[in-house]
Amino acid sequence: MAQVNACLKLIFTIFNIFFAIVGGVIIALALLSQVVTNVDGGEGLEGRTVGLIVLYAVGAITMVIAILGAFGAHRENRACLIVFLVCMVIGSLMMLRAGVPAVAAHPKLERVLEEKFRALLPLDKASYDVKSMADSLQRQLHCCGLFSYLDWEDNIPTTCECDPDKMEGKCQSVIYQGILMPRKSVYIKTCFPVILHYVLLLSNVMIGVAFTLAALALIGMALSSAIIHQMRNHNRPTVLMTVPAIFTTPPPKYQELHNPPGY
C-alpha cells in the first residue's frame, strides 16, 4: 500500500467531514425553507418546488461525495480518490454555472415576478387554478389581493375578510358594491410583498449554497490531487544527487610533495 503524508491525509479527512456537514446543513436549509414557505400545499410560490428539489439533491450528493473522499483517503484507494477528484471538477463547474447567472438575474427577479403576477389580473376573471392559489395565499398569509384588494374588482372573496375586533390595525374598510353589504373589512396587507420576500430568501439560499460548494470543490480538488500525486510517485526509486567531477575541488598542492629518494 502506498504511503501518503499523514498530515495531508488528516487535513483531507477533516475537509471531508466538514464537507459532509455542509451537505447536512443544505438538507436542513431545504427542510426549513419548505416549512417556512409552505403555502397551498407546496405550489403557492413561484419555482418553490424546483428549488427545494435542487437543494435536497445537492445536499444528498454532497454527503455521498464526502463519504467517498474520506473512504478513499483512509484506505488510500486511488480509484475512489480519482472519482472524488472528477466529482469535484464537475461540481465546481456546475456550481459556478448555476451561481453566476443567478447573481446576474437577482436584481431583475422582483420586476420579472411582478410582471408575471400582474398578467394574472383581474383575479376574479382568472382561471380556477389562479383563484385557488390566491385564496390559499390570502388564507395562509392574511393578505388581500396581490397588489391591492382592487385586484378582485367587485368580487372580493371571503378569504380577504378581516375582523377588526380581533386583528386591530390590520384591517381596512372598503366600499363594496354589493346589495346586502355595501362596505367590507379586508386585510390591509397585500400578498405580493410576502411572496417576493420568500422567493428572494430561497434565491439567496441557493446562491450562497452554489458559491460555498464551488469554493469547497476547489479546495477538494487541490487536496485530492496532492494525495493522488503522492500515491503515484511513492514507489519511484530515489535519485541520489552527485556532484559532477568538474566541480570537484582538487587536492591541495602540498599533497603532491613527496620526499626524494635516499631521505
Side-chain angles (χ1 to χ4, degrees):
M1 180 180 293
Q3 297 296 321
V4 179
N5 183 278
C7 182
L8 180 60
K9 184 190 292 188
L10 177 61
I11 293 173
F12 188 67
T13 301
I14 294 174
F15 167 80
N16 279 286
I17 293 173
F18 178 73
F19 202 44
I21 292 174
V22 170
V25 170
I26 293 173
I27 295 176
L29 285 175
L31 183 60
L32 180 62
S33 299
Q34 183 176 2
V35 173
V36 170
T37 62
N38 187 21
V39 181
D40 191 22
E43 298 296 333
L45 298 180
E46 185 77 12
R48 171 184 180 273
T49 302
V50 176
L52 291 176
I53 291 175
V54 170
L55 285 177
Y56 279 123
V58 169
I61 293 173
T62 299
M63 295 186 71
V64 170
I65 294 176
I67 294 172
L68 178 68
F71 175 81
H74 178 70
R75 295 290 185 179
E76 297 187 18
N77 187 308
R78 187 181 301 176
C80 290
L81 290 172
I82 291 175
V83 172
F84 179 87
L85 176 60
V86 172
C87 290
M88 289 295 98
V89 173
I90 296 174
S92 63
L93 293 177
M94 290 180 62
M95 291 300 102
L96 291 175
R97 175 67 180 81
V100 173
V103 171
H106 193 270
K108 307 174 185 177
L109 189 57
E110 180 177 356
R111 179 177 56 83
V112 172
L113 283 176
E114 182 174 352
E115 290 176 355
K116 286 186 176 182
F117 280 110
R118 286 195 181 279
L120 303 176
L121 303 180
L123 293 175
D124 59 324
K125 295 182 175 61
S127 64
Y128 172 81
D129 291 338
V130 173
K131 289 181 182 178
S132 177
M133 181 197 73
D135 280 335
S136 296
L137 287 170
Q138 291 172 162
R139 188 181 300 107
Q140 296 283 340
L141 303 178
H142 295 161
C143 55
C144 182
L146 294 174
F147 305 95
S148 168
Y149 70 91
L150 296 175
D151 294 343
W152 292 99
E153 294 187 339
D154 294 332
N155 297 307
I156 301 175
T158 56
T159 52
C160 272
E161 294 179 5
C162 175
D163 189 347
D165 297 330
K166 295 181 180 180
M167 307 186 73
E168 185 177 355
K170 297 182 179 180
C171 306
Q172 61 179 335
S173 181
V174 299
I175 298 176
Y176 184 65
Q177 297 181 3
I179 299 176
L180 300 178
M181 188 182 297
R183 300 188 69 86
K184 181 178 287 191
S185 182
V186 300
Y187 291 110
I188 297 176
K189 183 172 65 175
T190 56
C191 297
F192 179 75
V194 183
I195 297 172
L196 180 63
H197 169 74
Y198 287 128
V199 172
L200 291 177
L201 175 63
L202 188 58
S203 176
N204 290 332
V205 168
M206 295 184 68
I207 290 174
V209 166
F211 283 100
T212 299
L213 289 179
L216 291 175
L218 293 175
I219 297 174
M221 287 168 54
L223 292 175
S224 58
S225 297
I227 292 178
I228 293 171
H229 178 73
Q230 282 194 2
M231 293 173 63
R232 183 172 54 188
N233 296 333
H234 174 75
N235 293 324
R236 289 186 178 180
T238 303
V239 178
L240 297 178
M241 300 299 294
T242 57
V243 181
I246 190 174
F247 296 107
T248 304
T249 304
K253 293 295 183 180
Y254 68 84
Q255 291 185 4
E256 299 179 1
L257 297 177
H258 58 278
N259 293 328
Y263 286 90

